[in-house]
Amino acid sequence: LFPLLHSGYSASDDLIQKTVAFIVSMQNGNGAWDGSVDMTAAAVQALALTSSLPNVPSAMAQAKEYLHSEQQANGGFTNGFSTSWALQAIAALNEPASNWAPHAYTPQDYLASLQQSDGGVESASSSMQTRVWATAYAIPASLNRTWDSLLQSFAKPSLGGGGNVTTPTASSN
């Protein structure tokens, strides 16, 4: 949904409505998607952009309840990756951090506890790849930025002759 909504599609487009309906239909009874904080947080970020569509508000409310049920006493959600995704969902829900501090610790507190002296997130004994990805996820999450907020908009592709998709080209000035 993120790229589609940045390329000129809107909630009134059939493609968006069908995609949203599919996402909503995949939600589990407990409010999760795929039984996962990460997938639930991703769905929340996507659905927040289309909150006017049918069944989205109730799906978002169930997802919020699920995320609350998965939050640990230390403020985190299983690990740094899940906590980063959850923070982005919290940003998409426009929730204050105080709503996510069940035992005085917020998800930001948990992420801060994972940061090492070199600035990276996750233990120095973790692989470099794990640390790079964990840190890359933690940065926008710590800034209360969703994945959608990091994208730029671009022109909607149009169908050219013969049904081929054409994209706008940059003019050389």
Side-chain angles (χ1 to χ4, degrees), residues 82-93:
S82 294
T83 302
S84 292
W85 279 100
L87 273 169
Q88 290 181 296
I90 292 165
L93 290 165

Side-chain angles (χ1 to χ4, degrees), residues 56-71:
V56 171
S58 62
M60 296 280 285
Q62 290 176 307
K64 181 177 161 181
E65 287 179 34
Y66 169 77
L67 290 172
H68 271 294
S69 75
E70 293 297 307
Q71 189 175 18

